Amino acid sequence: MTNIHGIIGYTITPFGANGEGVDLPALGRSIDRLIASGVHAIAPLGSTGEGAYLSDAEWDQVAEFSIKHVAKRVPTVVSVSDLTTAKAVRRARFAEAHGADVVMVLPASYWKLTEAEILAHYRAIGDSIGVPIMLYNNPATSGTDMSVELILRIVNGVENVTMVKESTGDIQRMHKLQLLGEGRVPFYNGCNPLALEAFAAGAKGWCTAAPNLIPQLNLDLYEATLAGDLGKARELFYRQLPLLDFILKGGLPATIKAGLRDTGLEVGDPRLPVFPLSEAGHTQLQALLNTLR
């Protein structure tokens, strides 16, 4: 059983000029930098990685390259969400075939899905692969909000759905997962401003793009909560909270790519229709980063 815990670092997908093509050497450098900083796992192709904005060929290219480049130094959690069950199954199989340790599934939809449809979607993906699945609840991006009761029905009904990433920003969901799941369902925080409370509620890890810019602060917060030092954890959390808020509100691809550029790693701009960070935003980001260095 893959032990996913701690700080799970989300990678960007670097593009060439005008958003054309994927810059794999830059992706490799960003992955090396994250692993060197001490993150406990790498998660390509999530919201930060603009997975929804890639062609199938590009998605395959980024998934294959990322898994190969991580080379089992830490576990990889590959986001395989897609609008149709067939495409999500294809991506999940592709990720597994290339060595992903875990796949993460967000039920993305155009039509509002019923609970039966969501369960069937997870079951079809679960039946098609052997690696663990991290169920991902993020209504802000998917338009689908899964209740804790539904999440636990899926966990109980699909053998390899073994962990949950919760990104609603509602701490009560985590308490409820802990209580109704009787402490048996590992859950992970996907909402940056909730990092402190999530660890206090028993989250096994924090899925975040922040380690691209402030890995040490993220890791120190995790270590302080593991050690049960609430005072230190609180102090560390408040130090990083202004930046965590900023990268979320400014849009993860835009803010993380701008921040990486500032640290000497050129990864291109987000892909349109997403704009790069504005000049004012850039100035604000630099000021926030300077206070943390």
Side-chain angles (χ1 to χ4, degrees):
M1 172 71 187
T2 305
N3 180 21
I4 305 293
H5 69 96
I7 303 298
I8 297 129
Y10 277 66
T11 52
I12 41 80
T13 297
F15 298 120
N18 303 321
E20 293 302 312
V22 175
D23 182 348
L24 294 178
L27 176 57
R29 287 192 288 276
S30 77
I31 289 171
D32 288 339
R33 190 189 276 202
L34 278 169
I35 293 175
S37 77
V39 299
H40 301 96
I42 294 283
L45 294 160
S47 309
T48 308
E50 299 176 75
Y53 297 86
L54 303 179
S55 69
D56 282 343
E58 288 171 331
W59 190 95
D60 288 0
Q61 199 185 9
V62 171
E64 183 174 358
F65 176 87
S66 300
I67 297 162
K68 195 172 173 186
H69 196 84
V70 172
K72 300 287 180 190
R73 288 178 283 173
V74 294
T76 50
V77 180
V78 179
S79 182
V80 302
S81 308
D82 210 312
L83 277 175
T84 67
T85 301
K87 282 180 112 176
V89 164
R90 188 200 74 78
R91 287 184 168 180
R93 283 185 169 149
F94 184 93
E96 178 182 41
H98 286 86
D101 296 286
V102 175
V103 299
M104 185 174 79
V105 179
L106 176 79
S109 77
Y110 176 89
W111 295 109
K112 194 165 170 53
L113 300 174
T114 64
E115 294 201 347
E117 287 167 334
I118 294 167
L119 177 58
H121 183 68
Y122 276 100
R123 186 165 280 144
I125 298 167
D127 285 349
S128 70
I129 56 171
V131 292
I133 294 172
M134 180 183 281
L135 174 150
Y136 181 20
N137 190 37
N138 188 353
T141 57
S142 70
T144 299
D145 189 0
M146 293 180 276
S147 67
V148 172
E149 289 79 1
L150 172 60
I151 288 171
L152 291 173
R153 265 179 62 206
I154 296 167
V155 169
N156 292 326
V158 184
E159 196 181 339
N160 45 347
V161 176
T162 56
M163 48 194 117
V164 176
K165 178 182 170 191
E166 225 297 314
S167 296
T168 55
D170 174 7
I171 193 66
Q172 295 305 322
R173 303 289 186 100
M174 293 190 191
H175 292 317
K176 214 168 169 184
L177 269 170
Q178 185 77 292
L179 280 170
L180 296 181
E182 296 174 348
R184 289 198 304 266
V185 182
F187 59 88
Y188 300 79
N189 173 45
C191 176
N192 282 333
L194 214 64
L196 178 66
E197 292 94 328
F199 280 132
K204 268 199 78 173
W206 176 16
C207 301
T208 176
N212 285 286
L213 305 180
I214 51 163
Q216 202 53 54
L217 277 169
N218 305 149
L219 290 157
D220 289 349
L221 172 60
Y222 174 60
E223 294 300 333
T225 57
L226 269 190
D229 190 341
L230 183 61
K232 186 180 180 191
R234 199 184 283 135
E235 182 194 331
L236 285 161
F237 176 65
Y238 288 141
R239 270 197 72 199
Q240 57 193 293
L241 185 57
L243 181 73
L244 296 176
D245 276 335
F246 179 83
I247 62 177
L248 191 63
K249 291 194 177 86
L252 292 168
T255 51
I256 299 296
K257 283 185 165 181
L260 286 172
R261 182 175 287 151
D262 281 350
T263 59
L265 183 59
E266 179 52 59
V267 291
D269 288 330
R271 190 164 265 180
L272 292 171
V274 179
F275 279 177
L277 195 60
S278 68
E279 214 163 302
H282 205 155
T283 307
Q284 204 181 337
L285 177 62
Q286 282 173 317
L288 284 167
L289 284 170
N290 287 339
T291 65
L292 297 176
R293 291 214 171 105

